[in-house]
Structure formats: C-alpha cells, structure tokens
C-alpha cells in the first residue's frame, strides 16, 4: 500500500507547527487532515477513516488526553503524542492512555516523519514468517484478524500491545532485550525508549490479567528484558 492512501489526522493548535508538520507529511505523500482543537479532532475522527493520529496534548476545548481516550474507545489506530512535557512520568502517562509513540517539543519535523513512517510500517501485516494463529491454553492470537481472545473474551489491545504480544509469543522461552523490543515493536532504534517498552508491558499484563509477581504469560528477565512462557496445564503441575 502506498503512502498516498495513508490518511493522517494532525491535531495541533499552534498554526505554525501545524503548517510545518503538514508540509513535511504531504511532501512524503500522506493525506493530512488538520484539526486546531480537541473537539474538531473528535468530530473528524468520528466521520472519517484515518491510518494514524498525530496528537498534541495541550489543546483548547477538549484536552489531548481526552481525545486519545475517545480514539482508543473505538480504534487501535497508531497515535503519536506531541507535548512540551518531557518528564519520564509524562511520557509514561501518555503511553498508558494508549499512545504508541511520544515526541517532546521542540522536535524535528524530519524525526516526526520518520516516526510516522515506522508506525505505519509496523501497522501493516508483519512480514516475518509466522503462523496465522497462535494458541496457548485459553489465549488465542489471530494475526490475520488482528485480534486476541483470552478465555473466550476478545481483548482490546492497542497496535503496540498486539505487536508486543505477537513478537514475544511467536518464540516462547526466548528472551528479548528491551532494545530488541523497541526495534521490533516501535520499528526503530531510539536511545532512551527502552523504558517505553516497560509501559507497554505493564498495560499488556493488565489486559491479560497477568500478575508480574506470579506471571502466567509474560516473565521479566531482570537486567535484560522479557520472555513469553505458555501457561502449564494445572493437571500437569498440581503443586504449582
């Protein structure tokens, strides 16, 4: 699929930033719909299909956090957050709302374009050889339908959470470093983003009902990263 067919909702109240970012994205062939406040963004998203959202947090009328929640209520479209807040806690808070990536102002428009390209590439069907369906006990991962079912209930995963789970589950027992997961899940290598993987793992564990102290699926390998282990049937391990 070509970039010309990719539609991006750009939510930014500062006209100068909005114009520059739009120009860079359109130069790459993307179709950009601008929104100057949170309410316009919600209205635009409700009536049109978008492949990615670039979202400023500090917006008039409706704050970016609420826009993010509204988008996540109905879609797993990739979201890149833009904000002047650069503290780790602020980045983690944005990721926990469901964002896939985070850029702190001032930022390079070229870097934003690279992030957009990486997220859209990751959102396509994974090109690595893989089984269409992974089943581990009550956990079913359908790569074709892009859905995860646990004990008969479909989980509401973001694009990043789905990619993280499928990456880990494809090779049970293999330990992935945080940087490996950054490259595979976020689609690029960026210094300092290992901590964002921890946030995505935290969110994924919560949706899987996975207690990090006694995990069923995702295990922490201290000082390294994470691994996926299929749950053992209780009948085979009565003393567990």
């Amino acid at each position: 699929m070509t970039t010309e067919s990719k539609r991006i909702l750009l939510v930014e109240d500062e006209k100068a930033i909005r114009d520059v970012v739009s120009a860079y994205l359109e130069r790459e062939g993307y179709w950009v719909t601008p929104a100057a406040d949170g309410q316009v963004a919600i209205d635009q998203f409700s009536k049109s299909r978008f492949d990615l959202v670039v979202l400023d947090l500090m917006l008039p009328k409706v704050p970016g956090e609420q826009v993010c929640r509204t988008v996540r209520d109905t879609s797993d479209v990739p979201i890149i957050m833009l904000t002047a807040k650069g503290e780790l806690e602020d980045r983690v808070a944005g990721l926990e709302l469901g964002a896939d990536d985070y850029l702190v102002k001032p930022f390079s428009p070229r870097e934003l374009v690279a992030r957009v390209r990486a997220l859209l590439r990751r959102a396509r069907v994974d090109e690595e050889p893989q089984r269409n369906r992974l089943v581990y006990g009550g956990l079913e991962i359908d790569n074709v339908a892009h859905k995860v079912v646990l004990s008969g209930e479909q989980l509401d995963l973001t694009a990043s959470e789905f990619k993280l789970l499928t990456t880990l589950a494809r090779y049970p027992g293999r330990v992935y470093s945080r940087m490996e997961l950054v490259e595979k899940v976020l689609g690029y290598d960026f210094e300092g983003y290992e901590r964002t993987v921890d946030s995505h793992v935290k969110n994924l564990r919560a949706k899987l009902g996975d207690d990090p102290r006694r995990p069923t699926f995702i295990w922490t390998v201290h000082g390294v990263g994470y691994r996926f282990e299929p749950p053992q049937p209780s009948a085979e391990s009565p003393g567990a």
Side-chain angles (χ1 to χ4, degrees):
M1 187 176 291
T2 62
T3 58
E4 285 80 356
S5 62
K6 297 296 186 181
R7 297 176 60 90
I8 298 175
L9 177 61
L10 172 60
V11 191
E12 168 61 63
D13 64 317
E14 295 185 47
K15 186 177 185 302
I17 296 177
R18 196 168 63 244
D19 289 348
V20 169
V21 171
S22 290
Y24 270 81
L25 290 171
E26 288 171 350
R27 190 181 305 163
E28 291 292 314
Y30 299 113
W31 185 286
V32 180
T33 298
D37 64 63
Q39 188 57 58
V40 170
I42 291 172
D43 293 343
Q44 290 282 4
F45 193 83
S46 68
K47 65 184 181 182
S48 301
R49 181 192 66 81
F50 292 98
D51 299 289
L52 183 141
V53 177
V54 178
L55 175 63
D56 187 23
L57 279 184
M58 301 179 70
L59 295 170
K61 296 188 178 180
V62 178
E65 291 89 346
Q66 184 57 50
V67 175
C68 186
R69 292 189 192 97
T70 301
V71 169
R72 277 290 167 260
D73 282 344
T74 60
S75 173
D76 64 355
V77 63
I79 298 174
I80 300 178
M81 280 189 171
L82 306 178
T83 182
K85 301 176 181 178
E87 296 299 321
L88 176 61
E89 292 77 10
D90 296 315
R91 297 200 301 271
V92 169
L95 293 167
E96 289 182 342
L97 283 171
D100 297 277
D101 200 0
Y102 199 106
L103 265 181
V104 178
K105 296 178 179 179
F107 58 86
S108 162
R110 287 188 298 175
E111 182 180 358
L112 174 60
V113 170
R115 302 281 186 93
V116 166
R117 201 181 295 126
L119 280 175
L120 289 173
R121 184 169 61 245
R122 176 166 57 83
R124 294 202 302 263
V125 177
D126 189 6
E127 295 177 355
E128 295 181 22
Q130 58 179 302
R131 286 174 286 164
N132 290 336
R133 188 164 169 264
L134 301 171
V135 180
Y136 300 108
L139 179 67
E140 300 180 24
I141 304 169
D142 190 328
N143 287 291
V144 176
H146 204 276
K147 69 178 183 180
V148 176
V149 175
L150 178 62
S151 301
E153 292 190 16
Q154 185 170 334
L155 303 183
D156 182 19
L157 303 185
T158 67
S160 293
E161 291 160 2
F162 182 85
K163 180 66 174 178
L164 176 61
L165 179 59
T166 54
T167 297
L168 291 168
R170 191 169 298 134
Y171 301 105
R174 173 178 170 178
V175 178
Y176 286 88
S177 71
R178 287 176 173 81
M179 184 52 70
E180 280 184 291
L181 292 172
V182 167
E183 294 170 358
K184 289 181 176 293
V185 176
L186 295 180
Y188 53 85
D189 181 351
F190 187 78
E191 183 179 356
Y193 267 66
E194 298 99 320
R195 294 296 298 274
T196 68
V197 170
D198 294 340
S199 180
H200 287 311
V201 168
K202 177 183 175 183
N203 291 343
L204 181 57
R205 277 173 164 164
K207 294 178 181 181
L208 290 170
D210 220 4
D211 183 347
R213 293 168 298 181
R214 301 181 62 185
T216 302
F217 300 106
I218 300 175
W219 294 70
T220 301
V221 182
H222 295 290
V224 182
Y226 300 96
R227 75 175 190 274
F228 178 92
E229 291 288 351
Q232 297 298 317
S234 56
E236 295 181 11
S237 53

Tab-separated table of all heavy atoms in Angstrom, residues 110-139:
chain	number	residue	atom	x	y	z
A	110	ARG	N	11.533	16.217	10.543
A	110	ARG	CA	12.045	15.031	9.863
A	110	ARG	C	11.984	13.812	10.774
A	110	ARG	O	11.709	12.704	10.315
A	110	ARG	CB	13.478	15.270	9.389
A	110	ARG	CG	13.573	16.203	8.185
A	110	ARG	CD	14.969	16.264	7.637
A	110	ARG	NE	15.905	16.805	8.620
A	110	ARG	CZ	17.219	16.876	8.445
A	110	ARG	NH1	17.755	16.414	7.327
A	110	ARG	NH2	17.993	17.395	9.370
A	111	GLU	N	12.240	14.020	12.082
A	111	GLU	CA	12.125	12.897	13.004
A	111	GLU	C	10.673	12.448	13.124
A	111	GLU	O	10.379	11.244	13.169
A	111	GLU	CB	12.665	13.259	14.393
A	111	GLU	CG	12.602	12.067	15.348
A	111	GLU	CD	13.130	12.372	16.740
A	111	GLU	OE1	13.591	13.503	16.985
A	111	GLU	OE2	13.059	11.463	17.590
A	112	LEU	N	9.754	13.414	13.162
A	112	LEU	CA	8.338	13.054	13.224
A	112	LEU	C	7.943	12.233	12.005
A	112	LEU	O	7.240	11.216	12.124
A	112	LEU	CB	7.473	14.311	13.314
A	112	LEU	CG	5.955	14.073	13.250
A	112	LEU	CD1	5.489	13.180	14.384
A	112	LEU	CD2	5.194	15.394	13.268
A	113	VAL	N	8.386	12.641	10.827
A	113	VAL	CA	8.075	11.886	9.606
A	113	VAL	C	8.638	10.471	9.710
A	113	VAL	O	7.974	9.498	9.324
A	113	VAL	CB	8.630	12.603	8.359
A	113	VAL	CG1	8.527	11.700	7.129
A	113	VAL	CG2	7.883	13.910	8.107
A	114	ALA	N	9.858	10.339	10.268
A	114	ALA	CA	10.460	9.009	10.425
A	114	ALA	C	9.631	8.156	11.381
A	114	ALA	O	9.433	6.959	11.147
A	114	ALA	CB	11.893	9.135	10.935
A	115	ARG	N	9.133	8.767	12.460
A	115	ARG	CA	8.300	8.039	13.414
A	115	ARG	C	6.981	7.604	12.757
A	115	ARG	O	6.502	6.495	12.972
A	115	ARG	CB	7.994	8.911	14.627
A	115	ARG	CG	9.220	9.434	15.380
A	115	ARG	CD	9.817	8.372	16.282
A	115	ARG	NE	10.884	8.935	17.082
A	115	ARG	CZ	10.737	9.436	18.307
A	115	ARG	NH1	9.551	9.437	18.880
A	115	ARG	NH2	11.772	9.905	18.968
A	116	VAL	N	6.385	8.510	11.986
A	116	VAL	CA	5.138	8.189	11.273
A	116	VAL	C	5.369	7.012	10.337
A	116	VAL	O	4.589	6.042	10.304
A	116	VAL	CB	4.634	9.417	10.479
A	116	VAL	CG1	3.557	9.009	9.474
A	116	VAL	CG2	4.104	10.482	11.429
A	117	ARG	N	6.457	7.080	9.578
A	117	ARG	CA	6.766	6.020	8.630
A	117	ARG	C	6.939	4.684	9.345
A	117	ARG	O	6.434	3.642	8.895
A	117	ARG	CB	8.044	6.395	7.865
A	117	ARG	CG	8.223	5.690	6.537
A	117	ARG	CD	9.520	6.108	5.871
A	117	ARG	NE	9.546	7.495	5.503
A	117	ARG	CZ	10.498	8.360	5.854
A	117	ARG	NH1	11.491	7.966	6.630
A	117	ARG	NH2	10.457	9.606	5.454
A	118	ALA	N	7.642	4.713	10.491
A	118	ALA	CA	7.892	3.479	11.239
A	118	ALA	C	6.604	2.886	11.799
A	118	ALA	O	6.378	1.673	11.726
A	118	ALA	CB	8.882	3.754	12.376
A	119	LEU	N	5.736	3.743	12.362
A	119	LEU	CA	4.479	3.242	12.928
A	119	LEU	C	3.561	2.680	11.853
A	119	LEU	O	2.903	1.648	12.056
A	119	LEU	CB	3.764	4.352	13.692
A	119	LEU	CG	4.273	4.625	15.107
A	119	LEU	CD1	3.559	5.835	15.702
A	119	LEU	CD2	4.065	3.410	16.004
A	120	LEU	N	3.506	3.327	10.705
A	120	LEU	CA	2.664	2.825	9.621
A	120	LEU	C	3.224	1.523	9.060
A	120	LEU	O	2.469	0.620	8.682
A	120	LEU	CB	2.541	3.876	8.520
A	120	LEU	CG	1.696	5.094	8.881
A	120	LEU	CD1	1.781	6.145	7.785
A	120	LEU	CD2	0.246	4.707	9.133
A	121	ARG	N	4.543	1.426	9.014
A	121	ARG	CA	5.167	0.179	8.554
A	121	ARG	C	4.842	-0.952	9.520
A	121	ARG	O	4.529	-2.071	9.121
A	121	ARG	CB	6.683	0.372	8.449
A	121	ARG	CG	7.425	-0.851	7.888
A	121	ARG	CD	8.867	-0.516	7.562
A	121	ARG	NE	9.620	-0.093	8.721
A	121	ARG	CZ	10.133	1.122	8.887
A	121	ARG	NH1	9.929	2.047	7.973
A	121	ARG	NH2	10.822	1.421	9.968
A	122	ARG	N	4.892	-0.657	10.806
A	122	ARG	CA	4.596	-1.671	11.824
A	122	ARG	C	3.126	-2.049	11.815
A	122	ARG	O	2.762	-3.184	12.134
A	122	ARG	CB	4.973	-1.135	13.216
A	122	ARG	CG	4.626	-2.070	14.328
A	122	ARG	CD	5.310	-1.656	15.615
A	122	ARG	NE	4.992	-0.310	16.022
A	122	ARG	CZ	3.902	0.030	16.689
A	122	ARG	NH1	3.009	-0.885	16.989
A	122	ARG	NH2	3.697	1.272	17.057
A	123	ALA	N	2.264	-1.112	11.436
A	123	ALA	CA	0.832	-1.385	11.428
A	123	ALA	C	0.424	-2.304	10.284
A	123	ALA	O	-0.652	-2.890	10.310
A	123	ALA	CB	0.049	-0.079	11.343
A	124	ARG	N	1.285	-2.435	9.261
A	124	ARG	CA	0.977	-3.361	8.179
A	124	ARG	C	1.135	-4.793	8.658
A	124	ARG	O	1.692	-5.068	9.712
A	124	ARG	CB	1.915	-3.106	6.987
A	124	ARG	CG	1.726	-1.763	6.327
A	124	ARG	CD	2.264	-1.804	4.915
A	124	ARG	NE	3.676	-2.175	4.881
A	124	ARG	CZ	4.657	-1.284	4.804
A	124	ARG	NH1	4.400	-0.003	4.773
A	124	ARG	NH2	5.910	-1.685	4.758
A	125	VAL	N	0.674	-5.712	7.869
A	125	VAL	CA	0.841	-7.120	8.219
A	125	VAL	C	2.315	-7.420	8.369
A	125	VAL	O	3.127	-7.055	7.509
A	125	VAL	CB	0.235	-8.030	7.129
A	125	VAL	CG1	0.488	-9.501	7.460
A	125	VAL	CG2	-1.247	-7.762	6.984
A	126	ASP	N	2.682	-8.041	9.461
A	126	ASP	CA	4.079	-8.346	9.750
A	126	ASP	C	4.655	-9.222	8.640
A	126	ASP	O	4.064	-10.217	8.240
A	126	ASP	CB	4.151	-9.089	11.090
A	126	ASP	CG	5.576	-9.236	11.565
A	126	ASP	OD1	6.494	-8.680	10.944
A	126	ASP	OD2	5.764	-9.937	12.567
A	127	GLU	N	5.822	-8.815	8.126
A	127	GLU	CA	6.413	-9.530	7.005
A	127	GLU	C	7.229	-10.745	7.433
A	127	GLU	O	7.638	-11.547	6.600
A	127	GLU	CB	7.293	-8.574	6.180
A	127	GLU	CG	6.484	-7.464	5.515
A	127	GLU	CD	7.371	-6.494	4.771
A	127	GLU	OE1	8.610	-6.644	4.865
A	127	GLU	OE2	6.841	-5.603	4.098
A	128	GLU	N	7.521	-10.878	8.728
A	128	GLU	CA	8.268	-12.032	9.179
A	128	GLU	C	7.427	-13.297	9.027
A	128	GLU	O	6.213	-13.254	9.180
A	128	GLU	CB	8.659	-11.861	10.654
A	128	GLU	CG	9.606	-10.726	10.913
A	128	GLU	CD	9.965	-10.637	12.382
A	128	GLU	OE1	9.827	-11.662	13.085
A	128	GLU	OE2	10.371	-9.569	12.816
A	129	PRO	N	8.087	-14.446	8.713
A	129	PRO	CA	7.332	-15.697	8.659
A	129	PRO	C	6.644	-15.953	9.992
A	129	PRO	O	7.250	-15.824	11.049
A	129	PRO	CB	8.426	-16.749	8.391
A	129	PRO	CG	9.556	-15.991	7.791
A	129	PRO	CD	9.509	-14.628	8.420
A	130	GLN	N	5.370	-16.299	9.936
A	130	GLN	CA	4.632	-16.504	11.167
A	130	GLN	C	3.412	-17.370	10.909
A	130	GLN	O	2.915	-17.453	9.795
A	130	GLN	CB	4.160	-15.168	11.753
A	130	GLN	CG	3.277	-14.376	10.797
A	130	GLN	CD	2.819	-13.078	11.408
A	130	GLN	OE1	2.186	-13.061	12.442
A	130	GLN	NE2	3.130	-11.982	10.752
A	131	ARG	N	2.973	-18.024	11.963
A	131	ARG	CA	1.710	-18.742	11.862
A	131	ARG	C	0.577	-17.731	11.954
A	131	ARG	O	0.672	-16.721	12.635
A	131	ARG	CB	1.600	-19.748	13.014
A	131	ARG	CG	2.494	-20.973	12.845
A	131	ARG	CD	2.440	-21.832	14.093
A	131	ARG	NE	3.192	-21.225	15.180
A	131	ARG	CZ	3.076	-21.585	16.453
A	131	ARG	NH1	2.213	-22.509	16.797
A	131	ARG	NH2	3.814	-20.997	17.383
A	132	ASN	N	-0.504	-18.028	11.246
A	132	ASN	CA	-1.641	-17.112	11.258
A	132	ASN	C	-2.346	-17.094	12.604
A	132	ASN	O	-2.981	-16.111	12.963
A	132	ASN	CB	-2.642	-17.494	10.164
A	132	ASN	CG	-2.095	-17.207	8.778
A	132	ASN	OD1	-1.226	-16.359	8.607
A	132	ASN	ND2	-2.603	-17.920	7.793
A	133	ARG	N	-2.217	-18.198	13.351
A	133	ARG	CA	-2.935	-18.296	14.622
A	133	ARG	C	-2.046	-18.971	15.656
A	133	ARG	O	-1.470	-20.028	15.407
A	133	ARG	CB	-4.224	-19.097	14.413
A	133	ARG	CG	-5.173	-19.117	15.598
A	133	ARG	CD	-6.543	-19.593	15.115
A	133	ARG	NE	-7.427	-19.891	16.231
A	133	ARG	CZ	-7.607	-21.106	16.745
A	133	ARG	NH1	-6.956	-22.138	16.227
A	133	ARG	NH2	-8.429	-21.304	17.755
A	134	LEU	N	-1.923	-18.347	16.819
A	134	LEU	CA	-1.161	-18.899	17.929
A	134	LEU	C	-2.135	-19.202	19.058
A	134	LEU	O	-2.955	-18.354	19.417
A	134	LEU	CB	-0.102	-17.901	18.416
A	134	LEU	CG	0.940	-17.446	17.382
A	134	LEU	CD1	1.763	-16.296	17.945
A	134	LEU	CD2	1.846	-18.591	16.981
A	135	VAL	N	-2.050	-20.407	19.622
A	135	VAL	CA	-2.948	-20.803	20.701
A	135	VAL	C	-2.121	-21.352	21.854
A	135	VAL	O	-1.330	-22.292	21.680
A	135	VAL	CB	-3.966	-21.860	20.231
A	135	VAL	CG1	-4.891	-22.253	21.390
A	135	VAL	CG2	-4.782	-21.348	19.057
A	136	TYR	N	-2.281	-20.758	23.009
A	136	TYR	CA	-1.616	-21.208	24.228
A	136	TYR	C	-2.668	-21.290	25.334
A	136	TYR	O	-2.999	-20.271	25.952
A	136	TYR	CB	-0.501	-20.253	24.635
A	136	TYR	CG	0.589	-20.105	23.590
A	136	TYR	CD1	0.714	-18.930	22.859
A	136	TYR	CD2	1.481	-21.137	23.332
A	136	TYR	CE1	1.708	-18.785	21.903
A	136	TYR	CE2	2.473	-21.012	22.373
A	136	TYR	CZ	2.584	-19.829	21.663
A	136	TYR	OH	3.569	-19.700	20.714
A	137	GLY	N	-3.209	-22.495	25.556
A	137	GLY	CA	-4.252	-22.632	26.556
A	137	GLY	C	-5.464	-21.812	26.157
A	137	GLY	O	-5.984	-21.937	25.052
A	138	GLY	N	-5.906	-20.930	27.045
A	138	GLY	CA	-7.064	-20.087	26.761
A	138	GLY	C	-6.738	-18.834	25.990
A	138	GLY	O	-7.623	-18.017	25.720
A	139	LEU	N	-5.463	-18.664	25.601
A	139	LEU	CA	-5.045	-17.467	24.865
A	139	LEU	C	-4.940	-17.786	23.384
A	139	LEU	O	-4.201	-18.694	22.987
A	139	LEU	CB	-3.700	-16.963	25.388
A	139	LEU	CG	-3.114	-15.722	24.695
A	139	LEU	CD1	-3.974	-14.495	24.981
A	139	LEU	CD2	-1.677	-15.492	25.148
